[in-house]
């Protein structure tokens, strides 16, 4: 027979609070009961693993290599040329990792199609360079992935001051427009796994080509635009960006690496490599965990109702 009975369960500030009736066992003076509670609001965990992968910018025109970078000192440790069956890749624009598919995705152009407007989304084996086409995406400029299977894709036409953010389902090969953003020269979008916002680096013509960082809520479509705070030469030219932690991104300004905050506050230069990059990506696991709390209750007498307050 149980020595306790769950009377009710309520929720307060995300904590599940239990009410128990505790009965004294026969022939004992007292007993102990361990109660375990759990939070409804779970904590976020983000773990990166393996090398960082970047795209060779090829002087902004013909970069077709996937570059492997050591995350310890940001040195280049290898590269591989990207290839796709039946076509020749002429340019890779960005790279991202999707933890559900456990695959890297790229945006690329091919020599067989002269129009700069026609681009493709595909998966890439970063060890062999083999690309598999997923779908065509017009004017795609940058991609990023959240904790689910979807890909956020930004399209930017150099002749149009508005860029558009889409949510792409690579399984169904469909896309849905989320919102329009006013930024002629759009550079990178990157997902922040702690605040669930997408951060967008761009150049704003209205601000005399000043670099702009914008946080985007993909659910509410709320935008928060900030002008870059000083930190690098030619600061606005952000070639690559990689989410590192709650308030930290790795960014590449041509061949120089910096750390920057969500507000665009750049720290000191941490590395310089004789090579320019477009985009950064690294394998990761983003998940939630449920913290547990325990409380030991000691009771004397026949019965007692205990409320667990933490």
């Amino acid at each position: 027979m149980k020595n306790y009975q769950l009377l009710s369960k309520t929720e307060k500030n995300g904590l599940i609070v239990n009410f128990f009736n505790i009965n004294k066992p026969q022939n004992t003076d007292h007993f102990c009961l361990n109660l375990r509670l759990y939070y409804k609001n779970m904590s976020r965990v983000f773990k990166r693993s393996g090398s960082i992968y970047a795209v060779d910018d090829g002087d902004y025109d013909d970069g077709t290599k996937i570059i492997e970078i050591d995350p310890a000192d940001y040195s280049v440790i290898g590269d591989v040329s990207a290839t796709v069956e039946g076509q020749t890749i002429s340019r890779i624009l960005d790279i991202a990792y999707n933890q559900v598919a456990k695959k890297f995705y790229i945006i690329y152009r091919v020599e067989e199609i002269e129009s700069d407007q026609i681009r493709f989304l595909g998966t890439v084996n970063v060890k062999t360079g083999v690309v598999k086409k997923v779908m065509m995406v017009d004017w795609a400029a940058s991609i990023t992935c959240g904790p689910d299977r979807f890909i956020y894709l930004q399209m930017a036409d150099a002749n149009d001051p508005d860029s558009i953010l889409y949510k792409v389902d690579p399984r169904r090969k469909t896309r849905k427009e989320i919102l329009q953003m006013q930024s002629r020269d759009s550079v990178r979008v990157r997902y922040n796994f702690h605040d669930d916002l997408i951060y967008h680096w761009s150049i704003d013509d209205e601000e005399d080509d000043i670099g702009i960082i914008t946080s985007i809520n993909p659910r509410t479509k709320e935008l928060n635009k900030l002008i870059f705070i000083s930190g690098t030469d030619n600061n606005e030219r952000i070639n690559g960006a990689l989410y590192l932690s709650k308030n930290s991104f790795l960014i590449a300004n041509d061949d120089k690496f910096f750390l920057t905050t969500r507000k665009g506050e750049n720290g000191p230069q941490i590395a310089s490599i004789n090579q320019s990059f477009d985009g950064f990506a690294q394998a990761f696991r983003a998940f939630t965990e449920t913290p547990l709390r325990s409380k030991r209750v000691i009771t004397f007498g026949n019965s007692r109702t205990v409320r667990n307050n933490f």
Side-chain angles (χ1 to χ4, degrees):
M1 180 179 177
K2 289 184 177 180
N3 295 321
Y4 65 92
Q5 178 186 7
L6 178 62
L7 300 179
S8 64
K9 182 171 68 174
T10 61
E11 179 184 335
K12 182 178 181 181
N13 297 328
L15 177 65
I16 305 300
V17 181
N18 299 292
F19 291 84
F20 289 91
N21 188 64
I22 302 176
N23 301 307
K24 174 177 174 280
Q26 293 182 353
N27 303 320
T28 61
D29 293 329
H30 69 275
F31 73 100
C32 298
L33 176 66
N34 287 321
L35 307 178
R36 296 180 70 79
L37 306 183
Y38 65 92
Y39 284 102
K40 180 180 179 182
N41 296 331
M42 299 179 288
S43 61
R44 292 294 181 91
V45 179
F46 182 85
K47 295 183 178 181
R48 297 179 292 120
S49 62
S51 299
I52 297 172
Y53 292 94
V55 177
D56 175 20
D57 74 4
D59 293 327
Y60 305 100
D61 186 37
D62 57 356
T64 61
K65 291 184 177 181
I66 304 296
I67 311 297
E68 185 177 5
I69 299 172
D70 188 337
D73 59 6
Y74 304 107
S75 61
V76 174
I77 56 179
D79 64 67
V80 62
S81 295
T83 60
V84 64
E85 185 178 359
Q87 294 176 313
T88 302
I89 294 177
S90 60
R91 180 81 167 91
I92 304 174
L93 292 98
D94 201 4
I95 184 171
Y97 180 78
N98 186 286
Q99 72 162 356
V100 175
K102 296 182 180 179
K103 295 177 181 178
F104 287 88
Y105 285 83
I106 61 171
I107 300 170
Y108 65 96
R109 299 201 309 255
V110 296
E111 291 183 357
E112 289 77 6
I113 300 177
E114 293 184 3
S115 173
D116 182 45
Q117 179 178 351
I118 305 302
R119 303 171 185 184
F120 297 93
L121 174 69
T123 61
V124 61
N125 184 320
V126 292
K127 297 299 184 182
T128 66
V130 174
V131 175
K132 293 184 179 180
K133 183 176 71 174
V134 174
M135 59 188 292
M136 187 181 74
V137 284
D138 319 342
W139 285 117
S142 184
I143 52 174
T144 189
C145 299
D148 50 30
R149 76 173 190 270
F150 299 103
I151 298 172
Y152 292 96
L153 182 148
Q154 184 216 356
M155 292 186 177
D157 182 345
N159 299 314
D160 190 335
D162 291 334
S163 62
I164 303 174
L165 184 67
Y166 287 90
K167 187 175 184 179
V168 175
D169 187 338
R171 291 182 188 172
R172 299 180 179 180
K173 300 181 181 181
T174 59
R175 70 188 187 201
K176 180 181 179 181
E177 181 177 330
I178 297 178
L179 79 164
Q180 290 190 350
M181 302 174 291
Q182 288 190 347
S183 53
R184 182 180 298 276
D185 192 348
S186 300
V187 186
R188 291 287 166 256
V189 288
R190 290 296 181 262
Y191 196 97
N192 185 316
F193 291 88
H194 282 84
D195 60 17
D196 283 324
L197 300 179
I198 296 173
Y199 287 80
H200 171 235
W201 287 266
S202 65
I203 298 171
D204 196 321
D205 289 344
E206 295 180 359
E207 298 289 345
D208 297 323
D209 290 340
I210 299 250
I212 300 292
I213 183 170
T214 305
S215 65
I216 305 163
N217 188 321
R219 293 160 301 280
T220 65
K221 303 182 181 180
E222 179 182 359
L223 300 177
N224 182 25
K225 183 183 291 187
L226 295 170
I227 295 177
F228 275 174
I229 299 174
S230 62
T232 71
D233 295 331
N234 197 19
N235 178 353
E236 69 275 8
R237 300 291 176 180
I238 302 301
N239 305 82
L242 177 70
Y243 170 78
L244 296 179
S245 63
K246 182 178 181 179
N247 194 36
S248 181
F249 292 89
L250 171 70
I251 61 172
N253 172 236
D254 289 330
D255 62 348
K256 304 178 183 66
F257 289 2
F258 297 83
L259 296 180
T260 187
T261 69
R262 291 177 293 177
K263 294 182 179 180
E265 299 166 328
N266 294 334
Q269 179 179 325
I270 59 175
S272 181
I273 301 174
N274 188 26
Q275 188 169 357
S276 296
F277 304 99
D278 269 349
F280 284 128
Q282 188 176 19
F284 65 85
R285 288 181 61 227
F287 57 95
T288 56
E289 64 179 7
T290 307
L292 294 172
R293 283 192 175 189
S294 300
K295 183 174 183 179
R296 180 176 291 264
V297 178
I298 302 177
T299 182
F300 297 88
N302 293 326
S303 66
R304 178 184 174 194
T305 300
V306 178
R307 176 172 179 171
N308 299 280
N309 295 312
F310 287 84

